[in-house]
Amino acid sequence: MRLFEKRDIQTIMEQCHKTQSRTNAIVSFVHEKNNIKKDWSDVYVAVKDNISVKGTPCMAGSKILNGYIPLYDATVVKKLKEKGAQILCKTNMDELGMGATGQNSCCGPTFNPYDVQRISGGSSSGSAVLVATDCVPLALATDTGDSIRVPASYNGVVGFKPTYGRISRYGVISYASSMDTVGFMTTCIEDAWRAFELLQGYDPNDMTSIDHSLGSINFSQSIQGKKIGILKNALDQVTDPELKKKFYDLMNDLRRQGAIIQEVRYPQELMDLVLPVYQVISNSEACSNFAHLDGIRFGLQKSGLNYKEAITQSRTEGFSFPVKRRLLLGAYSLYEENQHRIYQKAQKIRRLLVDEFQKLFDDLEFLACLTTTDIAPKIEEEFIDPSYLKLANLSGFPALSLPFGSKIGCPYGLHLFAGAFQDEKMIEIAYQIEKIIDDKENLS
Amino acid sequence: MNHYVHIGLEMHCELSTQSKMFSHAPAKTIKEPNSCVDLLDFGFPGTLPTVNKKAVEYGLLICDLLHCEIDKNLRFDRKNYTYADLPKGYQITQQNHPLGKNGHYLVHGNKIHIQKVHLEEDTAKMIHKQDQTYIDFNRCGYPLVEIVTDASINRPDIACEYVRSLVLDLIYLQVTEGKMENGNIRCDVNVSVTKNPDSLGSKVEIKNINSISNMKRALDHEIKRQSELLDQGIEISEQTRRYDETSKTTVLLRKKETARDYRYLPEPNIPVIHLDESWIRSIRENRPMLPDELILMLNDQYGLSFQQAEQLVSQKELTDFFLKVIKYTDRYLDVFSFLMGDIRSWMKENHREILDQDPKVLGDLICKMDSKLSRQDVRTCIIPYLEHRSIDALIEKLESAKMDDLSLNLLIDQVLKENQKSVADYKNGRDRALGYLVGQVMKCSKGRSDPKIVHDILLKRLEEAV
């Protein structure tokens, strides 16, 4: 559904229950009603469960946060409430944002609404599903590696990850602070713009937020002369010729409309480093960021003979194995004897990877590829993490996924990258591409 | 055989900012436990640190005092470890890029090298009661500056003087309350004694030193202990000791374990902050006066001797009040002597630390001394004045109680008649006799006369009589 589209709460709730019984996308409903009457009063918004909503449990998919109720609203939630929006519910997610499948949550896995035998994608699994199943027109989410864009692709919705710092992280449970980005899912680009317009902006409570004034947008901006690169490395990973053909057909359509399309390749030896570098940095930051989850002041509280034992008990029971594994790896790369050859090396390579990524934008305005190499895999199938998506997190550059096509009834998305602070420009071109995709869809 | 002593000091100084280092909670420790806390101080999920600009300003003032090189890119690091007083699971500090480094400080001509000056946050306070431990988060996140010297100090008295003098400077910079007894200033002392002049020896760290006199005792004891061990040919091991106040000795706290690994990483929630050159300059330009500068000024402009000035400056509250009162009177030495006498005693007896009385009232009072009021009268007024009572009526009473000229002259006549011998002595050139006569008049008037006036009248009368 679209933003500002009026629907009564009963209809919404019925829809939610229907979705919930099939997908397990919701973890809790927000009971408090917003009485502020403003432009957004009719808008119901879903919020990923790692974003604080005052008075509503916040577990972030982790047992260790069992029973924790935030005492405050995250800045993004506050901004929505001030405009009159209703926070409807909190959505399921991979534990603490770690994961891209939507299958590792203490609240149970999130299933794909197009085919419940398939994964929803994660970590913002519930947010994508709720927008996909017409429960809400907007769902807040976070993206540290690809956590907005992968589920957006698998659920056929728009998933937008802005430039790092353009939306405040205050009130969002930090996973890897240097890459965590708040974004959202909507059903169309125009709504994504409306949401971005409201949520962006400097926040004195978040020193990493950036004071960058909102640019204007022109939805009738033609794609004539726009320089778009095709990220070959990503396309190489697509095995299904049908998907490949569909992508290149679209590129040809864009070319016909005056866009300048060229194939580019990010140095493959650097592309191969994206995933390991991402893992070292995200795990290192995570092991420090999650040190506060000790069961002493909030969340799951286990007893012990002394505080250390109590913390050990709480963390042993509170974290799932995949999370423990990542935290251990993070701690390992920070140990004095390893710092230099692991953590600091990763930081250096990160700079190198970003510089090389930036070079692509010296010449091009946008980069295009498929968000995921295929439709959502079945739960028992292996999920291959599309590492190229993480370039947007290592660099902080904006990226988005928009509904592109479907195969055996399951969707997949088109992915766009842009240079730092080109969020508005990226939305403009995405709007034109969305129109071309829709027109084609209507013709066939 | 000679023993070589190396002393190094790590001083933690609590900054007296309004709010904490990274949260908006008020920076007040002496309050109801857990009443000065923000969500961040409890380590609640989703909270983020924001840098207290005032704390950076204070840090820069300290760097300036210590002649440090300033890193214009302000950066913070995380020190990760698990402890009950550390809710976030890490402390935000400046491990890799301290605000200031390579500075120095002069103590009686000894140049003490300052390795680094860095900003960090304090941990919560653990309160142990019987078998329970309580945590007060008021102190958690409190802004601290750590000042680290190298180990080049070789005498305990220089180490102590360094602390005393530096703390006084910090108090005058108005960056800290500076009370060691309240924990505003905490010192860890490293000391090593060797027989080899080229090596530093094994570092022994002494904790829990809460006063300069204890620091002296701890150092003396520790140097003696290590020297004796060396003389016996026993090797000194690296360790942490604690000063024990009752036995006045240092006791072993723990042997040096394998160094704890703090898994430092750059704080990802705080971007690199570039410190503006002109901002740093304006902080330097607006720096409050330091004790040494004040001593010169008090001597030069107000005629206090260096000794008097030094005495006054050792207590900032008295100095501040002195400077306020002398706006209303030019009798600087009288103001000084009342401050160092009656006023200081009253503060001590009544455990008062601040003087918030109206300085004009004291200035005016001192102006009246020796003309309308005697010194004794002024002293009578001081206590009610200090207790914030109005002294207008009292002054009026004292003034009217003063003998009029006629009765004073009559009294002087009487004294002269009764002390013929002294009059004769004076005439014979014994000037001391005049003082005696003044005293007699004062005694007979029961202090209701002004000694200066009495002196003048007597002198005139005696000269006339010659």
Side-chain angles (χ1 to χ4, degrees):
Chain A
M1 71 181 288
R2 294 288 310 269
L3 272 178
F4 311 113
E5 187 184 314
K6 275 199 177 181
R7 215 160 30 148
D8 64 80
I9 184 70
Q10 270 87 4
T11 319
I12 294 169
M13 289 308 280
E14 275 166 30
Q15 189 63 29
C16 282
H17 288 304
K18 227 162 84 189
T19 295
Q20 179 63 2
S21 62
R22 293 185 63 236
T23 65
N24 192 32
I26 301 167
V27 291
S28 53
F29 281 97
V30 176
H31 297 292
E32 194 198 346
K33 197 175 151 30
N34 187 1
N35 292 318
I36 297 170
K37 289 272 166 273
K38 284 236 175 96
D39 321 359
W40 285 63
S41 289
D42 295 317
V43 181
Y44 282 83
V45 183
V47 175
K48 189 177 178 181
D49 204 30
N50 59 350
I51 302 175
S52 308
V53 174
K54 189 178 172 177
T56 301
C58 185
M59 284 180 77
S62 184
K63 204 174 162 187
I64 197 133
L65 280 166
N66 192 12
Y68 167 62
I69 297 174
L71 294 160
Y72 70 112
D73 280 328
T75 299
V76 278
V77 170
K78 199 166 150 242
K79 283 190 167 188
L80 283 166
K81 284 186 176 175
E82 279 167 1
K83 280 281 177 186
Q86 303 291 347
I87 309 300
L88 180 70
C89 61
K90 301 295 292 290
T91 64
N92 205 353
M93 60 182 283
D94 283 301
E95 185 170 353
L96 301 168
M98 292 177 158
T101 60
Q103 304 306 292
N104 187 37
S105 165
C106 72
C107 307
T110 313
F111 302 104
N112 194 307
Y114 290 90
D115 177 354
V116 291
Q117 288 179 20
R118 292 177 186 273
I119 67 167
S120 54
S123 64
S124 313
S125 52
S127 286
V129 169
L130 288 186
V131 173
T133 56
D134 254 2
C135 293
V136 286
L138 169 66
L140 300 187
T142 60
D143 189 314
T144 304
D146 48 29
S147 285
I148 287 178
R149 294 159 289 153
V150 166
S153 175
Y154 289 164
N155 288 278
V157 297
V158 170
F160 179 66
K161 178 210 109 60
T163 302
Y164 179 85
R166 289 206 70 178
I167 295 182
S168 165
R169 292 187 293 120
Y170 184 70
V172 179
I173 301 178
S174 290
Y175 156 22
S177 305
S178 73
M179 295 185 281
D180 289 346
T181 317
V182 179
F184 43 80
M185 280 92 165
T186 54
T187 53
C188 65
I189 294 292
E190 198 186 333
D191 285 353
W193 164 246
R194 296 276 165 249
F196 182 62
E197 212 178 6
L198 171 64
L199 299 171
Q200 60 82 40
Y202 172 71
D203 177 9
N205 284 321
D206 174 6
M207 291 194 79
T208 62
S209 70
I210 292 160
D211 194 3
H212 186 93
S213 58
L214 182 69
S216 60
I217 210 151
N218 179 5
F219 281 128
S220 50
Q221 177 73 44
S222 122
I223 59 168
Q224 175 78 39
K226 299 277 180 220
K227 287 183 176 173
I228 304 169
I230 295 169
L231 186 61
K232 273 290 277 175
N233 316 59
L235 268 299
D236 289 348
Q237 291 189 41
V238 181
T239 47
D240 189 330
E242 191 197 320
L243 265 70
K244 245 185 190 166
K245 181 177 181 301
K246 184 147 169 112
F247 177 80
Y248 280 103
D249 283 350
L250 175 71
M251 291 301 124
N252 284 331
D253 290 339
L254 295 180
R255 194 175 279 134
R256 264 194 295 280
Q257 297 210 11
I260 302 158
I261 310 284
Q262 67 184 86
E263 287 195 328
V264 290
R265 190 175 282 281
Y266 185 76
Q268 191 55 42
E269 68 275 19
L270 293 184
M271 190 63 98
D272 293 340
L273 289 170
V274 168
L275 196 59
V277 165
Y278 169 81
Q279 282 170 340
V280 168
I281 293 171
S282 62
N283 290 342
S284 300
E285 290 183 17
C287 90
S288 176
N289 276 334
F290 294 140
H292 70 306
L293 303 178
D294 55 13
I296 298 279
R297 298 164 309 282
F298 49 81
L300 182 78
Q301 196 158 40
K302 290 277 141 192
S303 55
L305 285 173
N306 52 47
Y307 79 93
K308 271 202 170 153
E309 202 177 281
I311 291 174
T312 308
Q313 296 291 338
S314 301
R315 286 172 74 90
T316 301
E317 193 175 324
F319 293 135
S320 70
F321 177 74
V323 169
K324 283 178 194 157
R325 190 178 152 273
R326 291 194 193 202
L327 297 183
L328 279 172
L329 286 171
Y332 181 81
S333 28
L334 285 174
Y335 280 128
E336 216 176 301
E337 69 263 33
N338 305 332
Q339 272 250 351
H340 187 70
R341 68 181 174 91
I342 307 182
Y343 177 74
Q344 283 169 17
K345 194 171 181 181
Q347 289 285 30
K348 274 186 198 145
I349 302 173
R350 177 180 184 175
R351 213 160 304 143
L352 207 74
L353 296 179
V354 173
D355 287 348
E356 203 58 39
F357 190 48
Q358 170 61 49
K359 275 187 201 160
L360 296 178
F361 294 102
D362 291 348
D363 204 36
L364 298 165
E365 289 167 274
F366 309 100
L367 272 182
C369 62
L370 289 176
T371 311
T372 47
T373 52
D374 210 331
I375 58 167
K378 289 199 165 164
I379 292 165
E380 67 280 7
E381 283 171 0
E382 195 197 355
F383 165 78
I384 299 154
D385 212 346
S387 61
Y388 48 88
L389 295 184
K390 293 171 170 56
L391 278 169
N393 302 86
L394 290 171
S395 63
F397 294 179
L400 65 76
S401 176
L402 72 156
F404 184 32
S406 69
K407 191 173 101 179
I408 52 167
C410 290
Y412 56 91
L414 178 81
H415 191 271
L416 290 178
F417 291 103
F421 300 105
Q422 300 303 305
D423 308 71
E424 290 88 343
K425 293 275 165 250
M426 189 177 69
I427 291 172
E428 264 178 12
I429 193 144
Y431 183 80
Q432 299 304 327
I433 296 173
E434 182 186 50
K435 226 163 56 180
I436 294 166
I437 296 170
D438 285 354
D439 287 349
K440 258 185 118 167
E441 205 67 24
N442 291 340
L443 277 175
S444 60
Chain B
M1 208 181 206
N2 270 337
H3 289 154
Y4 299 91
V5 175
H6 296 279
I7 302 169
L9 290 149
E10 284 170 27
M11 184 194 281
H12 282 94
C13 165
E14 277 185 0
L15 299 178
S16 51
T17 50
Q18 291 292 310
S19 56
K20 292 187 178 177
M21 188 65 227
F22 301 111
S23 87
H24 303 301
K28 296 266 178 292
T29 40
I30 312 167
K31 278 272 163 99
E32 185 79 4
N34 296 314
S35 63
C36 298
V37 279
D38 187 83
L39 296 164
L40 180 77
D41 305 320
F42 279 128
F44 275 118
T47 55
L48 295 170
T50 49
V51 177
N52 183 340
K53 197 174 173 185
K54 204 75 191 171
V56 179
E57 189 180 320
Y58 287 179
L60 287 168
L61 275 173
I62 296 172
C63 288
D64 187 38
L65 172 75
L66 298 170
H67 314 283
C68 288
E69 295 162 21
I70 288 168
D71 191 331
K72 294 200 181 70
N73 288 316
L74 184 66
R75 283 165 279 191
F76 292 93
D77 301 293
R78 283 186 187 178
K79 182 179 180 175
N80 295 289
Y81 64 95
T82 305
Y83 203 66
D85 64 1
L86 195 69
K88 295 196 296 292
Y90 56 83
Q91 179 196 32
I92 306 179
T93 177
Q94 294 189 291
Q95 173 68 13
N96 295 320
H97 305 280
L99 181 62
K101 60 180 181 190
N102 295 334
H104 66 265
Y105 188 71
L106 284 174
V107 178
H108 294 330
N110 295 283
K111 196 174 190 177
I112 292 175
H113 181 245
I114 306 294
Q115 273 181 0
K116 60 173 191 167
V117 173
H118 73 246
L119 289 162
E120 61 183 29
E121 56 175 341
D122 210 345
T123 56
K125 196 173 178 179
M126 313 252 288
I127 300 154
H128 306 281
K129 281 183 184 168
Q130 287 127 24
D131 57 341
Q132 300 259 31
T133 300
Y134 298 81
I135 307 175
D136 179 5
F137 287 89
N138 283 357
R139 205 183 68 182
C140 189
Y142 214 97
L144 292 179
V145 157
E146 185 174 340
I147 303 166
V148 183
T149 73
D150 66 2
S152 64
I153 305 170
N154 44 34
R155 275 176 21 211
D157 59 322
I158 297 174
C160 292
E161 183 53 24
Y162 161 77
V163 175
R164 193 203 60 80
S165 172
L166 178 55
V167 169
L168 191 65
D169 280 354
L170 297 176
I171 292 171
Y172 273 89
L173 284 180
Q174 296 168 35
V175 298
T176 181
E177 302 279 330
K179 294 206 177 65
M180 270 183 114
E181 65 274 24
N182 292 350
N184 301 141
I185 303 285
R186 281 165 261 159
C187 274
D188 292 338
V189 183
N190 298 316
V191 57
S192 67
V193 182
T194 60
K195 291 187 176 185
N196 178 359
D198 301 323
S199 108
L200 278 180
S202 305
K203 195 171 92 175
V204 175
E205 190 178 353
I206 313 171
K207 290 197 172 282
N208 195 35
I209 295 174
N210 58 4
S211 72
I212 292 172
S213 46
N214 282 347
M215 185 166 140
K216 179 82 169 55
R217 286 189 203 109
L219 279 170
D220 285 342
H221 175 268
E222 187 55 28
I223 290 167
K224 188 164 160 268
R225 189 188 72 85
Q226 291 189 29
S227 300
E228 283 170 6
L229 287 174
L230 285 176
D231 286 342
Q232 292 164 35
I234 300 170
E235 205 177 311
I236 295 155
S237 58
E238 283 201 18
Q239 55 191 272
T240 303
R241 301 178 74 84
R242 175 178 68 83
Y243 179 66
D244 183 65
E245 254 181 287
T246 42
S247 67
K248 301 202 180 352
T249 58
T250 63
V251 290
L252 182 69
L253 209 59
R254 55 177 178 266
K255 289 254 185 210
K256 172 102 177 156
E257 323 126 23
T258 38
R260 204 164 178 178
D261 192 329
Y262 291 113
R263 292 179 279 123
Y264 286 101
L265 86 157
E267 170 57 66
N269 285 325
I270 302 174
V272 177
I273 300 167
H274 184 76
L275 302 177
D276 185 50
E277 190 83 50
S278 63
W279 184 60
I280 298 175
R281 208 179 313 122
S282 79
I283 291 167
R284 280 190 182 135
E285 280 163 5
N286 295 313
R287 166 175 73 76
M289 274 178 106
L290 289 168
D292 282 350
E293 296 163 335
L294 275 165
I295 289 169
L296 287 179
M297 184 190 79
L298 290 168
N299 175 259
D300 184 50
Q301 292 180 29
Y302 304 112
L304 267 61
S305 71
F306 282 115
Q307 205 189 347
Q308 287 172 325
E310 215 167 298
Q311 220 186 329
L312 181 67
V313 163
S314 70
Q315 264 176 286
K316 181 166 184 290
E317 191 61 25
L318 292 174
T319 312
D320 289 348
F321 202 61
F322 175 86
L323 294 172
K324 282 183 206 158
V325 176
I326 55 162
K327 284 188 187 141
Y328 305 101
T329 175
D330 53 7
R331 296 171 65 170
Y332 311 128
L333 284 167
D334 286 322
V335 176
F336 168 79
S337 61
F338 276 110
L339 276 170
M340 299 313 288
D342 292 7
I343 295 177
R344 193 166 63 159
S345 317
W346 175 84
M347 286 172 80
K348 227 175 178 172
E349 278 161 27
N350 296 284
H351 310 288
R352 298 295 171 90
E353 281 168 359
I354 47 165
L355 290 171
D356 54 356
Q357 292 81 357
D358 184 353
K360 184 176 185 300
V361 174
L362 184 63
D364 292 348
L365 184 66
I366 288 172
C367 279
K368 286 182 174 165
M369 190 167 77
D370 297 337
S371 57
K372 292 183 172 149
L373 294 171
S374 67
R375 180 167 288 265
Q376 187 55 44
D377 290 340
V378 173
R379 292 189 66 183
T380 314
C381 294
I382 292 262
I383 301 296
Y385 162 72
L386 289 170
E387 289 170 351
H388 289 100
R389 284 187 271 150
S390 165
I391 55 168
D392 293 349
L394 184 59
I395 292 172
E396 206 172 305
K397 203 176 116 199
L398 287 165
E399 277 180 349
S400 65
K402 274 186 84 166
M403 299 185 87
D404 56 59
D405 289 356
L406 182 65
S407 25
L408 181 61
N409 275 305
L410 286 171
L411 188 71
I412 287 171
D413 285 345
Q414 194 196 330
V415 168
L416 286 173
K417 211 191 281 170
E418 283 168 7
N419 294 278
Q420 288 295 335
K421 192 179 172 296
S422 298
V423 175
D425 284 350
Y426 181 80
K427 282 175 182 168
N428 291 330
R430 290 196 191 164
D431 289 350
R432 263 187 15 211
L434 177 62
Y436 173 76
L437 289 168
V438 173
Q440 289 303 304
V441 176
M442 294 303 295
K443 196 172 151 194
C444 293
S445 71
K446 297 185 174 70
R448 285 180 300 142
S449 52
D450 189 306
K452 195 171 177 297
I453 297 167
V454 172
H455 175 274
D456 292 348
I457 297 172
L458 267 171
L459 190 66
K460 219 170 120 199
R461 296 280 288 276
L462 288 167
E463 293 300 318
E464 276 166 9
V466 171

